[in-house]
Structures are given as structure tokens and as C-alpha cells.
């Protein structure tokens, strides 16, 4: 949570220094780099968390070697593809930005396997402190650079610095043992066997999660793309927190219960109920208070942010409901289910194109949201049990959250014409408190049980 607060606070300050077009250009850089990462993802850390040999040095060293080779290869691909990518979007500076930002892949590949061991052992505190520290250093570099020379280079420098801090911390502060390059044939086969379906599903995940910016990069101006990216950053906060909880806490715990399927399913359903209730409250607060948040903290250059964030949050909620279901099978060693779910969710691309042609941005996000709902239905149908309980959770929290948002927006629409300059903001704040308070108290009670 602290990391997301740092990211959000830094974004607000940077928006005062940089122009919206800088965020638009960096959105295209981020999509490119994220695409390379996802198109070569072998799920190495998940394999370490799930495999019974995951704590053995020989297995970890082989994973480290594969990870390092992958990082260097990705940087080389950046150097080759950056210029055609820049030419496609008619933005010459994309080439240098991508070549320098691509070094993040090398730094990520050189991270010590000690991090994987900490994730396997669910050492949340240590990893959280490291991530907070890296984000803080990255933010200081961004702000300092932007204050001296306002340009996208500030964002590039911050991202590379953050990756360097994580890499160094993994070999020093969080180091459990000294890794070395090693190639064990048996470990390599196990890593590739587990990761081949993750590779395919990650490819589809990239298509679904990043194609919005790839499309908008050609359809709208860099300024509008920058506004969309900022709104997406706020709307994605809840999804990112839920994803971290699922990937770094719930998945390792479920992997420990892989020999007791009923216990595993019970753990998943109970944890999902907590996550959905918390996420529903936060999403409701973003939809209600998002426009006032942006109007208060951003200048007139970012006038459309409130409109963007309300629609994007709808998509994020549908994504949150789908996220994590495939991890039930992954914790049992079966990663093919995630690929099947990804195939269904990839329908979001044609849906989004059709939707954008009809009603532009609302149609685009509704297209992706519909594909997520369809993917959820397929993934739930493939669960080894507790299907009805999962569907009830999705329906219940969607109904509660949607009803509250609808009522709140209706009250705001009724009060707006006659509201004074101070009473309307107070009304919005009052309407955002109940869902957040409920989500926080409920989550706190469940964590203490």
C-alpha cells in the first residue's frame, strides 16, 4: 500500500513539472518493455514457489542462469526493435528511451534467487521494505531530474535506478546465499515444463492488458494518451494490490497445500472473499471520488482524467474478479488453464476495437470488460470444485458495489445544481468514506483471525 501511495504522490508532483505528452510517450515505452517481458515470461519464480526442489541451490542457480540469459537477450531485442517501433508511432525519441530503459531487463535478470526464496517463504515484510526503498529512490531521481531538465528522460532514469536498487538489495540486504551460474539438465527441464504454458498465457495477458495503449497510441494524440495513462495508473492501484496479495502471499500458501485439494480450494475461496470485498469498496470510492481528486490536484491540462478513471475502473473491477482463479491450477502444477483463460480474454481486443468505433473510450473499456467476464466464466467452469461459491462471490460484490456507486452518483447529480462551492466536495468525500471504511475494517478483522 505504501508503494502505491508513493507512486501516486510522485505522479501528482511530476504532472506539475512535465507535460501530458511526456506521460504519453512513456506509456508507449512501458508497453514495449512490458511486452518483451511478458513475451518471454517462463514463470521462473512461480516454478520455484511451486516446485518441491525450489529451495535447493542447484535448482535456484539454474533458474538464476536462465533468468540472466533472458535479461541480456531482452536488452538486445530492445536495441533491434526500438527504432521500427519509434517509426511506427512517428516519435523519433522513442528509440533512445527504449534502448536505455531496456537495461532494466538486464538488472532484473541479475537479481539474486534469494528473492525467490523469500517469496516462497512468504517473507512479505522484507520484500515490501525492499520495494518501498527502491520506489523511494526511483522517485527522488525522477523528481530531481525533472526539476533540472523536464523531459521523459526523468522517467527513464527513475525506472532504471529503481531496478538497480532492487538488484543490489537482492545480493546484499536480502541475500541468503551467493548464487552462481549453473546449468542442471533436470532442473532446466522442470522449469521449462512448468513455464511453457505460463509463457503462452503471458503472451495473451500482454495482448489483453496493454493493447489499449497500443491502439490509442495511433488513434489519439500523445497528450490524450498521457491523460489516459495517468487515469489508468490510479484505476489500476486496486488491481495491483490484489495481484500482489494473490501472487506473493496466496499462491505460495496454496502451493504448500497442493496435496490437499479441498484445503486448497477452501483457502482460495476464503481469501478471494476478503479481496473482493476490499477491492469493491476501493473501486467504488475511485468511481465516486476520482473526478474530484483529479480536479483538485491536477491542472487544466488534465481536464479529462476524471471521465477516464470512472470508465477504466469498470474494466479493472472485471479484471480483478478474473485474476487469480487460474492460480488454483497453477499451485497444483497445471499452468495450461491460465493459457485457456488467456485465449478467451484475448477476445477483448476485437471487442474493444468494435466498442471504440461505436462510442470511443467507453466502448473500448467495455469491450475489454466483457472479455474479462467471459474469461471468468470459463475459468470458473474449469475449477476442480467450489464453482458456485466463486460465482456467488462475484455476483454479490458486483451487486453491492454497483448499487452503492449508482446511488452515490444519483445523489451527486441531484445535489450538483444547488450545491455551494464547498458542500459538493464534502458530499463526495462523505460518499467515499463508507465503502473504504467497510473494506478496511472487514479486511483487518479477517487478517486477525
Amino acid at each position: 500500500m505504501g508503494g502505491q501511495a508513493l507512486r501516486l504522490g510522485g505522479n501528482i508532483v511530476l504532472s506539475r513539472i512535465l507535460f501530458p505528452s511526456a506521460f504519453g510517450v512513456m506509456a508507449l515505452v512501458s508497453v514495449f518493455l512490458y511486452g518483451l517481458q511478458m513475451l518471454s515470461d517462463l514463470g521462473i519464480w512461480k516454478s520455484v514457489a511451486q516446485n518441491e526442489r525450489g529451495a535447493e541451490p542447484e535448482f535456484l542457480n539454474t533458474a538464476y542462469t536462465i533468468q540472466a540469459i533472458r535479461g541480456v537477450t531482452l536488452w538486445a531485442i530492445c536495441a533491434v526493435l526500438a527504432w521500427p517501433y519509434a517509426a511506427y508511432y512517428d516519435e523519433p525519441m522513442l528509440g533512445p528511451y527504449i534502448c536505455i530503459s531496456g537495461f532494466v531487463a538486464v538488472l532484473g535478470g541479475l537479481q539474486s534467487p534469494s528473492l525467490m526464496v523469500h517469496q516462497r517463504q512468504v517473507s512479505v515484510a522484507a520484500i515490501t521494505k525492499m520495494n518501498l526503498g527502491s520506489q523511494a529512490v526511483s522517485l527522488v531521481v525522477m523528481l530531481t531530474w525533472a526539476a533540472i531538465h523536464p523531459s521523459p528522460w526523468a522517467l527513464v532514469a527513475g525506472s532504471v535506478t529503481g531496478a538497480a536498487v532492487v538488484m543490489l538489495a537482492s545480493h546484499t540486504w536480502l541475500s541468503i546465499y551467493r548464487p552462481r551460474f549453473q546449468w542442471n539438465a533436470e532442473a532446466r527441464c522442470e522449469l521449462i515444463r512448468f513455464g511453457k504454458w505460463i509463457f503462452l498465457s503471458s503472451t495473451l495477458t500482454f495482448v489483453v492488458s496493454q493493447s489499449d495503449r497500443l491502439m490509442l497510441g495511433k488513434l489519439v494524440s500523445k497528450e490524450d494518451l498521457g491523460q489516459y495513462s495517468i487515469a489508468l495508473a490510479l484505476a489500476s492501484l486496486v488491481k495491483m494490490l490484489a495481484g500482489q496479495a494473490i501472487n506473493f502471499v496466496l499462491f505460495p500458501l496454496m502451493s504448500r497445500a497442493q496435496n490437499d485439494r479441498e484445503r486448497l480450494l477452501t483457502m482460495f475461496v476464503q481469501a478471494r472473499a476478503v479481496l473482493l470485498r476490499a477491492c469493491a469498496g476501493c473501486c467504488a470510492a475511485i468511481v465516486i471520488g476520482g473526478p474530484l481528486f483529479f480536479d483538485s490536484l491536477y491542472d487544466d491540462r488534465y481536464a479529462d482524467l476524471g471521465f477516464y478513471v470512472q470508465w477504466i475502473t469498470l474494466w479493472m473491477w472485471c479484471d480483478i474478479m478474473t485474476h487469480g482463479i487460474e492460480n488454483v491450477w497453477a499451485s497444483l502444477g497445471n499452468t495450461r488453464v491460465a493459457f485457456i483463460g488467456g485465449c478467451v480474454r484475448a477476445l477483448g481486443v476485437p471487442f474493444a476495437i468494435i466498442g471504440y468505433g461505436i462510442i470511443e473510450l467507453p466502448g473500448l473499456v467495455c469491450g475489454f470488460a466483457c472479455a474479462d467476464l467471459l474469461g471468468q466464466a470459463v475459468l470458473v467452469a474449469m475449477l476442480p470444485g467450489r464453482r458456485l461459491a466463486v460465482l456467488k462471490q462475484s455476483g454479490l460484490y458486483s451487486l453491492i458495489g454497483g448499487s452503492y456507486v449508482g446511488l452515490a452518483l444519483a445523489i451527486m447529480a441531484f445535489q450538483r445544481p444547488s450545491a455551494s462551492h464547498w458542500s459538493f466536495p464534502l458530499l463526495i468525500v462523505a460518499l467515499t468514506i463508507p465503502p473504504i471504511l467497510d473494506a478496511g475494517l472487514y479486511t483487518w478483522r479477517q487478517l486477525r483471525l
Side-chain angles (χ1 to χ4, degrees), residues 259-408:
N259 296 321
D260 187 347
R261 184 169 294 187
E262 185 58 34
R263 176 172 167 242
L264 187 154
L265 288 169
T266 300
M267 186 187 305
F268 171 72
V269 171
Q270 291 176 346
R272 187 172 186 268
V274 177
L275 281 173
L276 286 188
R277 184 158 178 171
C279 291
C282 293
C283 285
I286 290 174
V287 173
I288 297 167
L292 176 64
F293 174 83
F294 286 122
D295 288 344
S296 302
L297 298 177
Y298 289 76
D299 58 43
D300 293 340
R301 296 173 298 170
Y302 303 89
D304 295 327
L305 288 177
F307 172 75
Y308 288 160
V309 79
Q310 289 181 317
W311 280 101
I312 296 172
T313 303
L314 168 66
W315 174 22
M316 292 299 104
W317 170 247
C318 294
D319 193 290
I320 288 168
M321 289 192 294
T322 304
H323 192 60
I325 299 176
E326 71 276 5
N327 280 341
V328 173
W329 281 111
S331 62
L332 295 171
N334 182 345
T335 53
R336 184 175 58 180
V337 172
F339 172 70
I340 296 173
C343 288
V344 177
R345 295 177 64 207
L347 292 172
V349 176
F351 289 175
I353 293 173
I354 295 171
Y356 186 86
I358 299 172
I359 50 175
E360 297 189 339
L361 178 72
L364 180 121
V365 297
C366 285
F368 285 118
C370 288
D372 278 332
L373 293 176
L374 187 58
Q376 178 187 191
V378 171
L379 288 171
V380 170
M382 299 181 70
L383 281 173
R386 309 298 291 273
R387 302 180 190 90
L388 186 58
V390 172
L391 287 177
K392 284 182 176 179
Q393 287 176 343
S394 297
L396 174 63
Y397 292 111
S398 295
L399 179 63
I400 294 174
S403 298
Y404 186 84
V405 167
L407 178 62

Side-chain angles (χ1 to χ4, degrees), residues 2 218 398 422 449:
K218 291 294 288 185
S398 295
W422 57 268
L449 293 179

Side-chain angles (χ1 to χ4, degrees), residues 202-277:
S202 294
T203 301
L204 293 169
T205 298
F206 164 71
V207 171
V208 173
S209 63
Q210 305 295 311
S211 54
D212 56 332
R213 275 146 288 175
L214 290 173
M215 288 189 286
L216 290 174
K218 291 294 288 185
L219 296 171
V220 302
S221 67
K222 298 299 183 293
E223 288 75 13
D224 288 339
L225 178 61
Q227 291 198 67
Y228 177 86
S229 301
I230 293 172
L232 180 65
L234 175 62
S236 300
L237 286 178
V238 183
K239 173 190 168 183
M240 292 174 64
L241 290 171
Q244 289 174 355
I246 292 171
N247 292 328
F248 299 126
V249 179
L250 182 58
F251 177 75
L253 292 176
M254 288 196 301
S255 296
R256 295 179 185 178
Q258 59 185 281
N259 296 321
D260 187 347
R261 184 169 294 187
E262 185 58 34
R263 176 172 167 242
L264 187 154
L265 288 169
T266 300
M267 186 187 305
F268 171 72
V269 171
Q270 291 176 346
R272 187 172 186 268
V274 177
L275 281 173
L276 286 188
R277 184 158 178 171

Side-chain angles (χ1 to χ4, degrees), residues 32-75:
F32 182 89
L33 297 178
Y34 183 76
L36 288 182
Q37 294 280 356
M38 297 298 284
L39 294 175
S40 63
D41 183 20
L42 293 175
I44 292 176
W45 81 263
K46 278 194 172 183
S47 181
V48 170
Q50 192 274 335
N51 198 289
E52 294 180 353
R53 297 181 58 197
E56 297 179 8
E58 195 172 56
F59 190 89
L60 289 170
N61 287 335
T62 303
Y64 178 59
T65 303
I66 294 174
Q67 179 180 268
I69 293 173
R70 172 176 173 262
V72 174
T73 303
L74 288 179
W75 194 31

Side-chain angles (χ1 to χ4, degrees), residues 128-162:
T128 300
K129 290 177 182 177
M130 178 198 68
N131 288 332
L132 281 174
S134 68
Q135 288 179 20
V137 174
S138 173
L139 181 58
V140 170
V141 171
M142 285 185 192
L143 294 176
T144 304
W145 193 303
I148 298 173
H149 181 65
S151 74
W153 282 115
L155 305 177
V156 172
S159 64
V160 174
T161 302

